[in-house]
Amino acid sequence: MTSQSGLKNECHATTNLHARFAVSGLLPFLSVAVLLIISTACQNQEAPQQTTDAPKDKPAEKQEVKPDHFEGPLQHEREVNCVAFSPDGKTVITGCRDQTARLWDVASGQQIGEPLEHYGHVNSVLFSPDGKTVLTEHGSKVSIWDVETRELQGEPLENHGGLKAIAISPDGKSLVTGCFNKAGYLWDLTTGEQKGQPLHHELEFLDVAFSPDNKLVLTGSADNTAQLWDANTGEPQGKPFPHFAAVVSVAYSPDGKTVITGSQDNTGRLWNVETGKPVGSPLEHGLFLYAVAFSPDSKTAITGGADSKVRLWDVSNGRSRGKRLDHTDFVEIVAYSPDGKTIATVSSDDKLWFWDSESGKLKGKPFKHEDGINAMAFSPNSKIIITGSDDNTARLWKVP
């Protein structure tokens, strides 16, 4: 994530001593006694080596199943809904159904201060890009907390309808919220006030994302469409991106040129942001999609679905790239590591999987929680991943 020296020369001397006693004609009893003494001494000296060497296979076996947890699981009183890393990778935040969010020191695994108390389950957590504040979503509200003092900053942002999804802009100045009441809202985080007009779908919002340049917002809805909006005015930009069923997952490519939508119509779609037209054919799965994501270089998209598959796609033309990544149950979460070398996936049978992004090969055996995994996030240096689970824990895993 030891070597030892034995007393082998003394043990090898047994044969030479026996020869000398036999040639000189000394008493056979003396020869036998000496042999027994030396043999016993050798066995006693070799015994510690056997004791030390015996467990050598155990660390490898343990790491395949349960890698370095740093200081063990991050224990909660109820299910952990959401997790996030700070921009410097030194702190994580977890949101829980026990109506708290908690800050943790990554190096020690120790909780930092008292829990952040809420009224209702904490369903989403976000760090601001500068790492100075965290945002927590609970019910219809978003609270903003100072990381250093752990004090609430102003009044929570009240949304008119239960919240389904939130996203913060890359510059940290804006927030978008999507609600069950068919409305979305844009917020100025410098003032805590709403800006522009509300965003409207025909049915509830299911996912939201900001463009890398902070200018546009992408939303997915149960009304079978995704839509781009002006991030300041709330005006729709272009026509909706159509599907034949609910759009449950959306993402923006890091270069800002392409968006991807994942739907319950068993397909994902790549869309050119400038023209609003689809890129290539639908990204087909055997059952509906749960999750979509882009590689850091914007060249590859990944989709995960209820057919227990993850597929990789060429963003330039929508064609399948490499082999499919087979799982043992529904694939609910997918993500690229920030360095682009690893793909992490979560399946509904409580497993966390790691894949080499170039070869598509599985990196070791899947890691496992005792119950379903609700969230995961990579550290900024790509070396650690955090998961939140229904087993009342979050865990820090070393990326293989």
Side-chain angles (χ1 to χ4, degrees):
M1 173 352 295
T2 56
S3 64
Q4 294 180 339
S5 59
L7 302 176
K8 293 182 180 179
N9 291 337
E10 293 184 18
C11 296
H12 290 322
T14 304
T15 304
N16 294 332
L17 283 169
H18 184 276
R20 286 205 297 269
F21 282 124
V23 171
S24 60
L26 293 177
L27 292 174
F29 297 102
L30 179 59
S31 176
V32 171
V34 172
L35 285 171
L36 288 172
I37 292 171
I38 294 175
S39 176
T40 301
C42 291
Q43 290 175 2
N44 290 339
Q45 290 165 350
E46 288 176 349
Q49 287 185 328
Q50 293 171 358
T51 302
T52 305
D53 290 344
K56 280 187 176 179
D57 291 338
K58 290 185 178 179
E61 180 183 346
K62 182 178 180 181
Q63 189 168 346
E64 288 179 357
V65 180
K66 292 184 178 180
D68 188 355
H69 293 166
F70 298 86
E71 292 294 331
L74 312 183
Q75 195 67 47
H76 297 69
E77 295 181 10
R78 286 201 60 189
E79 302 93 326
V80 180
N81 291 331
C82 46
V83 296
F85 264 97
S86 63
D88 63 7
K90 296 180 179 180
T91 308
V92 291
I93 185 170
T94 56
C96 185
R97 293 182 197 172
D98 66 4
Q99 304 185 22
T100 69
R102 300 167 191 259
L103 292 164
W104 306 82
D105 178 73
V106 172
S108 66
Q110 298 300 307
Q111 186 174 314
I112 301 172
E114 295 298 316
L116 310 180
E117 301 287 345
H118 297 74
Y119 295 100
H121 301 167
V122 179
N123 300 310
S124 299
V125 290
L126 299 170
F127 271 94
S128 61
D130 62 10
K132 294 181 179 180
T133 58
V134 291
L135 285 72
T136 57
E137 177 261 298
H138 48 108
S140 62
K141 299 179 181 179
V142 176
S143 295
I144 304 172
W145 306 81
D146 184 284
V147 171
E148 185 174 353
T149 65
R150 297 177 300 285
E151 292 181 354
L152 189 62
Q153 302 296 290
E155 292 296 318
L157 310 181
E158 181 70 53
N159 294 261
H160 302 290
L163 284 168
K164 175 61 178 178
I166 66 173
I168 192 170
S169 61
D171 64 8
K173 296 179 180 180
S174 300
L175 179 76
V176 60
T177 58
C179 302
F180 287 102
N181 69 348
K182 312 175 189 178
Y185 302 96
L186 298 167
W187 297 87
D188 185 332
L189 292 179
T190 63
T191 64
E193 300 292 331
Q194 283 188 32
K195 61 178 182 177
Q197 64 185 31
L199 319 179
H200 283 288
H201 275 280
E202 295 300 318
L203 291 173
E204 63 263 31
F205 282 61
L206 298 178
D207 202 9
V208 296
F210 264 97
S211 64
D213 64 3
N214 310 290
K215 295 180 179 180
L216 295 172
V217 165
L218 174 65
T219 60
S221 170
D223 67 5
N224 304 353
T225 69
Q227 178 69 56
L228 288 170
W229 313 82
D230 185 286
N232 288 311
T233 67
E235 291 286 343
Q237 302 296 292
K239 295 181 179 180
F241 302 137
H243 278 269
F244 294 101
V247 178
V248 298
S249 184
V250 300
Y252 237 104
S253 65
D255 65 9
K257 298 178 180 179
T258 311
V259 297
I260 186 171
T261 54
S263 172
Q264 291 183 344
D265 65 7
N266 304 356
T267 72
R269 296 302 303 259
L270 292 164
W271 307 88
N272 182 290
V273 171
E274 185 175 354
T275 66
K277 294 182 178 180
V279 179
S281 300
L283 317 179
E284 294 186 356
H285 277 254
L287 290 171
F288 55 85
L289 270 66
Y290 278 119
V292 297
F294 281 98
S295 61
D297 63 7
S298 300
K299 294 181 180 180
T300 305
I302 52 175
T303 54
D307 60 358
S308 306
K309 314 294 182 189
V310 167
R311 297 176 185 270
L312 284 69
W313 310 91
D314 188 320
V315 172
S316 67
N317 54 32
R319 294 176 183 170
S320 179
R321 169 176 284 178
K323 66 177 185 178
R324 70 188 186 192
L325 313 182
D326 292 332
H327 294 67
T328 50
D329 212 333
F330 297 177
V331 179
E332 298 178 321
I333 310 173
V334 297
Y336 264 92
S337 61
D339 64 10
K341 296 180 180 179
T342 303
I343 295 171
T345 58
V346 168
S347 55
S348 58
D349 53 356
D350 319 331
K351 294 176 184 176
L352 170 66
W353 309 66
F354 293 99
W355 311 82
D356 183 275
S357 62
E358 287 295 323
S359 67
K361 292 182 178 179
L362 184 63
K363 299 171 75 170
K365 293 183 178 180
F367 305 149
K368 202 173 188 305
H369 272 272
E370 297 302 318
D371 207 337
I373 300 173
N374 298 314
M376 73 171 178
F378 272 101
S379 64
N381 66 4
S382 303
K383 294 182 179 180
I384 305 169
I385 204 165
I386 184 171
T387 52
S389 171
D390 284 340
D391 65 10
N392 298 359
T393 71
R395 287 189 181 273
L396 291 163
W397 312 84
K398 182 178 178 182
V399 177

